[in-house]
Amino acid sequence: MASKRDYYEVLGVSKDASEDEIKSAFRKKAKEFHPDINKSPDAPEKFKEAQEAYACLSDPDNRRKYDQYGHAAFENPYGGAGGGGFQGNPFGNFDFGDIFDDIFSGGFGGFGGFSSGRGTSSRARKGADTLYGMKIDFMEAVKGCKKDIELEYYEKCEDCDGTGGHGESTCSECGGTGSVIRQTNTILGTIQTRTTCSECGGKGKTYKTKCSTCKGQGKVKVNKTITIDIPAGIDEGEQLRVPGKGEVGSNGGPNGDLYIEIRIKEHELYKRKGNDIYIELPVTITDLCLGCKKNIVTMDGEVELKIKEGSQPGDILRIKGKGINNPDSWKKGDFYCILKLIIPTSLSRKQKSLLEELEETDLEDEAEIKRFNKLNK
């Protein structure tokens, strides 16, 4: 007989793993190797192996004995080296109901067609949420706008109220529970699991006639144009929720929600950082040397910006409160101008002469130039 693998290795956890980590690891293994889902030949054996490991390690007393004696703690009727062992199968009566209920009811990303334990798939469930990507212009995000979108989605059939048929009666196969019990004999004893009733598809009800409008599906496809209000100041990646426009619910449950994820086109001039706006403002050498005034179009309209005499390339000038007005933020953004020196690529004879005259002046006395010349000797 092949030797058993270490229980911690089976679940893929360390020996100091917490109870929650052990339970989470078993959920993953159970979903991966459950015979109803995984049809590979070795899946049943791996599923049993994971069950056995979890049954042992989830019980504090069994785990303590296993840590001390290993598998011998449960195989030797006299308890191995330390005594106090078990006769027969120590995990035969272990109740997997709660954890299987978690796995197959959908609460942990389970498989929608399965149910287990006390839960059934016959109860009304809300539909899944859906995501829609929308690209808007930069100024539309700043100022806000309205956008129409065409949607194709399913709604509950009004003719049968989402049931898919008329003349309702309790399913005789499952007794109205929506699931049937399956028993599996394993080395751990008899394990009971629930699977969706094939007769009623998990609804717990059957119908005398199929609804002609939805062909028994309980839902109908619709095409609608809806208007989305884009609030001023919305930022890249933010989402807007539209209730009831997601996937259709099951067993008469409500639709899920639609989420609009905003993508913003880049602007040729403006760059956004939070609620602040930045631009590169082109200036000439005379603008910097002599100072000047520039008319700047901010988010709130045109503003006159004063550039002081002796400004330097790369200086950042702030225009307070002229950035983005985001209603969700308590502070309005600012507008920043980064001075970018533009060097002419061609000069007239007169311009060259003037620059040569400037070169002959006492610019060498400027403190920064004097400092460089001293260090460069």
Side-chain angles (χ1 to χ4, degrees):
M1 180 178 177
S3 59
K4 291 184 179 181
R5 283 205 300 156
D6 179 79
Y7 285 154
Y8 293 101
E9 181 186 341
V10 169
L11 296 182
V13 296
S14 64
K15 291 193 175 183
D16 58 354
S18 66
E19 291 182 15
D20 287 341
E21 288 173 331
I22 289 173
K23 188 173 185 179
S24 177
F26 175 63
R27 283 197 188 103
K28 293 177 182 178
K29 295 293 183 182
K31 285 192 287 186
E32 182 179 357
F33 296 115
H34 194 285
D36 286 336
I37 301 157
N38 191 327
K39 301 302 181 182
S40 62
D42 60 345
E45 190 60 36
K46 289 185 177 180
F47 181 66
K48 294 173 188 177
E49 187 180 45
Q51 284 181 311
E52 182 179 341
Y54 177 69
C56 173
L57 299 182
S58 62
D59 181 272
D61 189 50
N62 285 348
R63 184 178 180 181
R64 178 182 58 80
K65 289 181 172 63
Y66 178 74
D67 287 344
Q68 188 172 4
Y69 302 113
H71 294 297
F74 313 113
E75 294 170 354
N76 188 338
Y78 300 102
F86 298 89
Q87 294 195 30
N89 182 2
F91 315 128
N93 296 321
F94 187 84
D95 182 12
F96 288 94
D98 287 341
I99 195 165
F100 282 153
D101 201 27
D102 282 347
I103 293 170
F104 296 112
S105 65
F108 292 88
F111 306 89
F114 296 90
S115 63
S116 180
R118 291 166 297 283
T120 73
S121 58
S122 61
R123 67 175 182 267
R125 293 180 184 273
K126 182 180 178 180
D129 297 331
T130 55
L131 185 65
Y132 181 97
M134 176 183 289
K135 200 159 193 174
I136 61 176
D137 290 331
F138 186 90
M139 294 307 298
E140 288 178 327
V142 171
K143 300 293 186 182
C145 61
K146 293 182 181 292
K147 289 286 188 179
D148 290 338
I149 59 173
E150 300 285 339
L151 289 180
E152 181 179 274
Y153 63 100
Y154 284 93
E155 284 186 344
K156 181 174 70 174
C157 177
E158 297 298 332
D159 287 351
C160 63
D161 197 30
T163 62
H166 304 281
E168 179 184 299
S169 61
T170 300
C171 176
S172 59
E173 182 69 19
C174 65
T177 64
S179 59
V180 292
I181 297 175
R182 288 185 56 189
Q183 290 189 342
T184 305
N185 294 320
T186 74
I187 58 174
L188 307 179
T190 300
I191 303 296
Q192 289 188 344
T193 59
R194 292 180 180 270
T195 57
T196 302
C197 176
S198 59
E199 183 67 24
C200 64
K203 295 181 178 180
K205 300 168 185 177
T206 56
Y207 301 92
K208 187 175 181 180
T209 59
K210 183 186 294 185
C211 176
S212 59
T213 302
C214 65
K215 306 296 188 293
Q217 297 298 309
K219 58 185 180 181
V220 291
K221 184 183 289 187
V222 295
N223 293 278
K224 285 186 178 180
T225 300
I226 63 173
T227 301
I228 306 297
D229 288 315
I230 310 294
I234 196 165
D235 207 350
E236 174 80 11
E238 290 188 25
Q239 294 182 352
L240 302 174
R241 175 175 168 266
V242 184
K245 300 303 181 184
E247 295 290 338
V248 69
S250 59
N251 299 318
N255 273 31
D257 299 327
L258 170 68
Y259 286 87
I260 310 291
E261 184 168 282
I262 299 298
R263 298 296 178 193
I264 302 173
K265 298 176 185 176
E266 289 189 1
H267 196 277
E268 290 183 351
L269 179 62
Y270 303 123
K271 303 297 179 186
R272 179 175 180 174
K273 293 183 180 179
N275 291 332
D276 297 328
I277 296 294
Y278 288 78
I279 66 167
E280 287 188 333
L281 178 61
V283 291
T284 66
I285 190 168
T286 51
D287 289 335
L288 297 178
C289 292
L290 304 178
C292 64
K293 293 180 181 179
K294 298 280 187 179
N295 290 327
I296 308 297
V297 179
T298 71
M299 302 299 99
D300 285 338
E302 192 171 281
V303 172
E304 186 178 79
L305 175 68
K306 183 178 180 180
I307 299 175
K308 294 180 180 180
E309 177 182 322
S311 294
Q312 300 295 313
D315 283 354
I316 301 176
L317 306 182
R318 174 187 175 211
I319 305 175
K320 187 177 180 180
K322 296 301 180 180
I324 292 176
N325 184 17
N326 189 338
D328 294 332
S329 175
W330 62 273
K331 182 183 177 183
K332 189 173 181 179
D334 298 325
F335 194 100
Y336 293 91
C337 299
I338 305 171
L339 301 185
K340 181 181 180 181
L341 176 61
I342 302 300
I343 303 295
T345 56
S346 61
L347 295 171
S348 66
R349 180 176 299 177
K350 182 178 181 181
Q351 289 171 329
K352 288 180 179 179
S353 177
L354 290 171
L355 286 175
E356 288 169 354
E357 289 181 24
L358 184 63
E359 179 69 19
E360 295 172 358
T361 64
D362 59 352
L363 286 180
E364 292 289 330
D365 293 333
E366 288 289 338
E368 189 65 25
I369 296 177
K370 289 174 68 176
R371 176 176 174 272
F372 174 81
N373 289 338
K374 181 180 178 180
L375 294 173
N376 195 43
K377 288 181 178 178

